[in-house]
Amino acid sequence: MLILGIESSCDETGIALYDTALGAGTPAAGLLAHALHSQVRMHQDYGGVVPELASRDHIRRLLPLTRVVLKEAGKTLAEIDAVAYTRGPGLAGALLVGAAAGSALAMALGIPAIGVHHLEGHLLSPLLAADPPAFPFVALLVSGGHTQLMRVEGVGRYELLGETVDDAAGEAFDKSAKLLGLSYPGGPALSKLAQEGQVGRYKLPRPMLGSADLNFSFSGLKTAVLTVVRKDGLEDTAHTQARADLARAVEEAITDVLTAKSISALQQTGLKRLVVAGGVSANHRLRSRLDAAAAKLDARVYYPELALCTDNGAMIAYAGACRLQLQAAAGGFEAGPYRFDIKPRWDLNSTAIGA
Ligand code: KG4
Ligand code: ZN
């Protein structure tokens, strides 16, 4: 089965082609081609994503990118067997572009269209790495909008272990970065600044670190960062070292909590595999902290390829492929009717099989 994947939930247009036959042994082998257009430069002047601009840009990019991917894979539209698009969660207008284009394409070709959960895409993206994890595993999902720990038994078999009660980890990076006057998206910029920083100058809170549950809280961090920025006048870029030290402190605080809770999740479930996905999984400090802590438990951490950490079409094509294969095994699926809806807010647990 050849699947076209379309991601358009936020500020990246991602398109990919996935071949389930080629991916039958190692999932990565099924990824024929993928292409991405990032809108970061367009939104940078505004300090964050402008939803209307995002939607309009997805419209402009979607079909040209599809042509690029088809050409790279040496395939034609007529060879596609199904279209997978991101149904949610995300920006309503942006989601509508991918859902409408994907459904229209599927209708024109007389093939099925499937709406994919964006977080399921992230969750399964480490399976597209060269050395993928086996099920079951604990998954730490850390993106701009979500921070969750899940127990994953298989595709569509998820159990929520804990989640943030307020801001997401990526949001904490982004908001702290903004307070330091760094450009959007803040995570990578703050992480770069932190490389020059020393630990020890600033001590930031680690809310819920000691709580017995597997929940997170990051909203207190931005208040603490704001207080330091104001007190030491760190908006002024002349304070080069102090700014780097604060960035380092923010990164330490966030990665400390993510590491501790992920390790608790491994201990509580008795599992030895931890999968980390979503934009923040690109963070090098988080990776080295998790690797070191897991090694002490004889556990291993799996990450997506760096290019597949942030939003992309490959994870949507792959998640769509997994869901279609499950449906095929359960008796097949129909090409129509070509109705679609989007789910700007959508709980991943509600998509669990049997939920
Ligand atoms: O998964 P993603 O691309 O989009 C969402 O689904 O939200 O995640 C984006 C988030 C942003 O908050 C961004 O700042 C953060 O991931 N991020 C990082 C890094 N790269 C991306 N945060 C920390 N360090 C990074 N290297
Ligand atoms: Zn995402």
Side-chain angles (χ1 to χ4, degrees):
M1 216 174 5
L2 184 64
I3 289 135
L4 177 74
I6 301 175
E7 155 62 28
S8 72
S9 67
C10 189
D11 57 351
E12 337 257 3
T13 319
I15 304 285
L17 270 176
Y18 190 83
D19 185 327
T20 54
L22 292 177
T26 314
L31 184 60
L32 300 186
H34 70 109
L36 190 81
H37 175 77
S38 170
Q39 304 177 352
V40 160
R41 285 190 49 204
M42 185 179 78
H43 297 296
Q44 233 152 23
D45 292 345
Y46 306 93
V49 181
V50 183
E52 181 59 25
L53 292 182
S55 316
R56 290 177 191 211
D57 201 60
H58 285 306
I59 294 173
R60 269 195 295 272
R61 307 290 173 182
L62 213 144
L63 291 178
L65 269 185
T66 304
R67 280 188 209 105
V68 167
V69 165
L70 283 168
K71 189 161 179 226
E72 198 184 316
K75 300 283 181 189
T76 61
L77 272 182
E79 289 174 272
I80 298 172
D81 297 302
V83 180
Y85 60 86
T86 306
R87 186 179 174 204
L91 301 170
L95 289 167
L96 269 177
V97 177
S103 302
L105 207 51
M107 187 173 163
L109 297 169
I111 57 175
I114 183 167
V116 170
H117 197 294
H118 181 80
L119 290 184
E120 181 163 80
H122 277 305
L123 185 74
L124 299 178
S125 64
L127 297 175
L128 290 172
D131 182 14
F135 295 111
F137 51 73
V138 169
L140 172 68
L141 275 178
V142 269
S143 70
H146 295 82
T147 299
Q148 298 186 330
L149 274 164
M150 326 266 301
R151 181 192 169 100
V152 180
E153 293 289 334
V155 176
R157 292 164 62 204
Y158 314 127
E159 182 197 340
L160 183 68
L161 301 173
E163 64 184 332
T164 182
V165 297
D166 42 53
D167 289 355
E171 207 174 347
F173 269 109
D174 293 343
K175 286 178 176 170
S176 302
K178 202 165 187 175
L179 290 170
L180 276 165
L182 300 173
S183 66
Y184 151 89
L190 187 129
S191 177
K192 189 157 173 262
L193 182 61
Q195 281 172 15
E196 315 299 324
Q198 308 282 331
V199 276
R201 187 195 297 231
Y202 297 112
K203 187 106 188 80
L204 296 173
R206 282 142 173 78
M208 299 185 77
L209 182 64
S211 67
D213 56 32
L214 295 172
N215 291 330
F216 306 85
S217 166
F218 291 109
S219 69
L221 199 57
K222 62 177 183 290
T223 317
V225 170
L226 178 66
T227 308
V228 175
V229 168
R230 290 219 174 121
K231 190 165 107 346
D232 289 4
L234 298 191
E235 302 97 338
D236 185 347
T237 50
H239 295 296
T240 317
Q241 192 56 46
R243 283 166 57 81
D245 292 346
L246 181 58
R248 180 70 194 268
V250 170
E251 196 173 52
E252 286 299 318
I254 297 172
T255 54
D256 236 17
V257 179
L258 292 176
T259 304
K261 297 277 175 168
S262 301
I263 294 302
S264 295
L266 287 175
Q267 286 168 326
Q268 287 180 25
T269 56
L271 295 173
K272 294 286 181 191
R273 285 179 290 269
L274 173 69
V275 159
V276 188
V280 182
S281 67
N283 185 274
H284 292 294
R285 187 94 198 118
L286 177 64
R287 288 182 173 216
S288 61
R289 296 287 303 273
L290 285 172
D291 288 342
K296 288 190 192 146
L297 291 182
D298 261 341
R300 200 182 139 187
V301 196
Y302 297 80
Y303 307 93
E305 302 289 349
L306 268 183
L308 302 186
C309 283
T310 44
D311 295 346
N312 63 84
M315 68 184 196
I316 301 304
Y318 181 61
C322 293
R323 285 283 180 165
L324 284 166
Q325 282 177 303
L326 281 180
Q327 286 180 21
F333 43 77
E334 310 238 319
Y338 294 101
R339 280 195 296 265
F340 65 87
D341 65 349
I342 50 150
K343 286 182 168 271
R345 299 174 72 86
W346 192 12
D347 179 5
L348 179 58
N349 289 284
S350 70
T351 72
I353 289 165

